[in-house]
Short mmCIF file of all heavy atoms in Angstrom, two decimals:
data_model
loop_
_atom_site.label_atom_id
_atom_site.label_comp_id
_atom_site.label_asym_id
_atom_site.label_seq_id
_atom_site.Cartn_x
_atom_site.Cartn_y
_atom_site.Cartn_z
N THR B 1011 -2.88 9.84 -13.53
CA THR B 1011 -2.44 9.86 -12.13
C THR B 1011 -1.09 9.14 -12.05
O THR B 1011 -0.92 8.09 -12.66
CB THR B 1011 -3.47 9.12 -11.24
OG1 THR B 1011 -4.71 9.81 -11.33
CG2 THR B 1011 -3.02 9.06 -9.78
N PRO B 1012 -0.12 9.71 -11.33
CA PRO B 1012 1.20 9.06 -11.31
C PRO B 1012 1.17 7.74 -10.56
O PRO B 1012 0.61 7.64 -9.47
CB PRO B 1012 2.10 10.06 -10.59
CG PRO B 1012 1.20 11.00 -9.89
CD PRO B 1012 -0.12 10.99 -10.62
N LEU B 1013 1.78 6.73 -11.17
CA LEU B 1013 1.92 5.42 -10.55
C LEU B 1013 3.39 5.09 -10.42
O LEU B 1013 4.19 5.48 -11.26
CB LEU B 1013 1.29 4.33 -11.42
CG LEU B 1013 -0.21 4.32 -11.66
CD1 LEU B 1013 -0.55 3.17 -12.62
CD2 LEU B 1013 -0.95 4.14 -10.35
N LEU B 1014 3.70 4.35 -9.36
CA LEU B 1014 5.00 3.72 -9.28
C LEU B 1014 4.72 2.22 -9.37
O LEU B 1014 3.98 1.69 -8.55
CB LEU B 1014 5.68 4.08 -7.96
CG LEU B 1014 7.15 3.67 -7.84
CD1 LEU B 1014 8.00 4.46 -8.84
CD2 LEU B 1014 7.68 3.93 -6.44
N GLU B 1015 5.24 1.59 -10.41
CA GLU B 1015 5.05 0.14 -10.51
C GLU B 1015 6.28 -0.53 -9.95
O GLU B 1015 7.40 -0.34 -10.42
CB GLU B 1015 4.82 -0.31 -11.96
CG GLU B 1015 4.69 -1.83 -12.03
CD GLU B 1015 4.30 -2.38 -13.40
OE1 GLU B 1015 3.72 -1.63 -14.20
OE2 GLU B 1015 4.59 -3.56 -13.66
N ILE B 1016 6.07 -1.33 -8.90
CA ILE B 1016 7.17 -1.95 -8.16
C ILE B 1016 7.18 -3.44 -8.48
O ILE B 1016 6.22 -4.14 -8.18
CB ILE B 1016 7.00 -1.71 -6.65
CG1 ILE B 1016 6.92 -0.19 -6.37
CG2 ILE B 1016 8.14 -2.36 -5.86
CD1 ILE B 1016 6.27 0.15 -5.05
N VAL B 1017 8.25 -3.90 -9.10
CA VAL B 1017 8.31 -5.28 -9.58
C VAL B 1017 9.27 -6.09 -8.71
O VAL B 1017 10.44 -5.75 -8.59
CB VAL B 1017 8.79 -5.31 -11.05
CG1 VAL B 1017 8.81 -6.74 -11.58
CG2 VAL B 1017 7.91 -4.42 -11.92
N SER B 1018 8.76 -7.18 -8.13
CA SER B 1018 9.64 -8.00 -7.28
C SER B 1018 10.33 -9.07 -8.12
O SER B 1018 9.89 -9.41 -9.21
CB SER B 1018 8.84 -8.66 -6.16
OG SER B 1018 8.30 -9.89 -6.60
N GLU B 1019 11.40 -9.60 -7.59
CA GLU B 1019 12.01 -10.79 -8.17
C GLU B 1019 11.10 -11.98 -7.88
O GLU B 1019 10.29 -11.92 -6.95
CB GLU B 1019 13.38 -11.04 -7.51
CG GLU B 1019 14.46 -10.06 -7.89
CD GLU B 1019 14.97 -10.30 -9.30
OE1 GLU B 1019 15.29 -11.45 -9.64
OE2 GLU B 1019 15.02 -9.33 -10.08
N PRO B 1020 11.21 -13.07 -8.65
CA PRO B 1020 10.39 -14.24 -8.33
C PRO B 1020 10.95 -14.99 -7.12
O PRO B 1020 11.27 -16.17 -7.19
CB PRO B 1020 10.47 -15.08 -9.61
CG PRO B 1020 11.72 -14.65 -10.28
CD PRO B 1020 11.98 -13.23 -9.88
N ASP B 1021 11.06 -14.29 -6.01
CA ASP B 1021 11.69 -14.84 -4.80
C ASP B 1021 10.67 -15.38 -3.81
O ASP B 1021 11.04 -15.90 -2.77
CB ASP B 1021 12.48 -13.73 -4.08
CG ASP B 1021 13.74 -13.32 -4.84
OD1 ASP B 1021 14.16 -14.09 -5.72
OD2 ASP B 1021 14.28 -12.24 -4.54
N ILE B 1022 9.39 -15.17 -4.10
CA ILE B 1022 8.35 -15.48 -3.13
C ILE B 1022 7.88 -16.92 -3.34
O ILE B 1022 7.69 -17.35 -4.48
CB ILE B 1022 7.20 -14.47 -3.27
CG1 ILE B 1022 7.75 -13.06 -3.00
CG2 ILE B 1022 6.04 -14.80 -2.37
CD1 ILE B 1022 6.84 -11.94 -3.44
N ARG B 1023 7.71 -17.67 -2.23
CA ARG B 1023 7.46 -19.10 -2.36
C ARG B 1023 6.11 -19.58 -1.81
O ARG B 1023 5.84 -20.77 -1.79
CB ARG B 1023 8.58 -19.90 -1.66
CG ARG B 1023 9.94 -19.80 -2.38
CD ARG B 1023 9.95 -20.58 -3.69
NE ARG B 1023 11.17 -20.37 -4.45
CZ ARG B 1023 11.34 -19.36 -5.32
NH1 ARG B 1023 10.35 -18.51 -5.57
NH2 ARG B 1023 12.47 -19.20 -5.96
N SER B 1024 5.29 -18.66 -1.32
CA SER B 1024 3.97 -19.06 -0.83
C SER B 1024 3.06 -17.85 -0.78
O SER B 1024 3.53 -16.71 -0.84
CB SER B 1024 4.07 -19.67 0.57
OG SER B 1024 4.41 -18.65 1.50
N SER B 1025 1.76 -18.11 -0.67
CA SER B 1025 0.82 -16.99 -0.58
C SER B 1025 1.06 -16.20 0.70
O SER B 1025 0.91 -14.98 0.73
CB SER B 1025 -0.62 -17.48 -0.65
OG SER B 1025 -0.89 -18.36 0.42
N ALA B 1026 1.48 -16.90 1.76
CA ALA B 1026 1.74 -16.21 3.03
C ALA B 1026 2.92 -15.24 2.88
O ALA B 1026 2.88 -14.11 3.36
CB ALA B 1026 2.03 -17.22 4.14
N GLU B 1027 3.96 -15.69 2.18
CA GLU B 1027 5.10 -14.80 1.93
C GLU B 1027 4.68 -13.61 1.08
O GLU B 1027 5.13 -12.49 1.28
CB GLU B 1027 6.23 -15.56 1.22
CG GLU B 1027 7.04 -16.47 2.13
CD GLU B 1027 8.21 -17.13 1.40
OE1 GLU B 1027 8.70 -16.59 0.37
OE2 GLU B 1027 8.63 -18.20 1.85
N ALA B 1028 3.79 -13.89 0.11
CA ALA B 1028 3.33 -12.81 -0.77
C ALA B 1028 2.61 -11.74 0.05
O ALA B 1028 2.84 -10.54 -0.13
CB ALA B 1028 2.40 -13.37 -1.85
N VAL B 1029 1.75 -12.19 0.96
CA VAL B 1029 0.99 -11.24 1.78
C VAL B 1029 1.93 -10.47 2.71
O VAL B 1029 1.81 -9.26 2.89
CB VAL B 1029 -0.11 -11.96 2.58
CG1 VAL B 1029 -0.75 -11.03 3.60
CG2 VAL B 1029 -1.17 -12.50 1.63
N SER B 1030 2.90 -11.18 3.25
CA SER B 1030 3.86 -10.55 4.14
C SER B 1030 4.65 -9.46 3.39
O SER B 1030 4.86 -8.35 3.90
CB SER B 1030 4.78 -11.64 4.69
OG SER B 1030 5.77 -11.08 5.49
N TYR B 1031 5.07 -9.78 2.18
CA TYR B 1031 5.79 -8.81 1.35
C TYR B 1031 4.92 -7.59 1.05
O TYR B 1031 5.35 -6.44 1.18
CB TYR B 1031 6.24 -9.50 0.05
CG TYR B 1031 6.72 -8.56 -1.03
CD1 TYR B 1031 8.01 -8.04 -1.02
CD2 TYR B 1031 5.87 -8.19 -2.08
CE1 TYR B 1031 8.44 -7.18 -2.02
CE2 TYR B 1031 6.29 -7.32 -3.08
CZ TYR B 1031 7.57 -6.82 -3.05
OH TYR B 1031 8.00 -5.96 -4.03
N LEU B 1032 3.68 -7.88 0.67
CA LEU B 1032 2.77 -6.78 0.31
C LEU B 1032 2.50 -5.86 1.49
O LEU B 1032 2.45 -4.64 1.34
CB LEU B 1032 1.43 -7.35 -0.15
CG LEU B 1032 1.31 -7.73 -1.61
CD1 LEU B 1032 -0.11 -8.17 -1.89
CD2 LEU B 1032 1.69 -6.56 -2.51
N LYS B 1033 2.30 -6.47 2.66
CA LYS B 1033 2.01 -5.65 3.85
C LYS B 1033 3.21 -4.77 4.19
O LYS B 1033 3.07 -3.61 4.54
CB LYS B 1033 1.65 -6.55 5.04
CG LYS B 1033 0.26 -7.12 4.91
CD LYS B 1033 -0.18 -7.82 6.18
CE LYS B 1033 -1.67 -8.17 6.10
NZ LYS B 1033 -2.09 -9.13 7.12
#
Side-chain angles (χ1 to χ4, degrees):
Chain B
T1011 298
L1013 294 177
L1014 190 66
E1015 178 173 337
I1016 303 159
V1017 182
S1018 87
E1019 288 287 310
D1021 289 343
I1022 299 165
R1023 291 289 173 273
S1024 69
S1025 60
E1027 283 184 24
V1029 171
S1030 177
Y1031 167 81
L1032 274 184
K1033 285 189 170 165

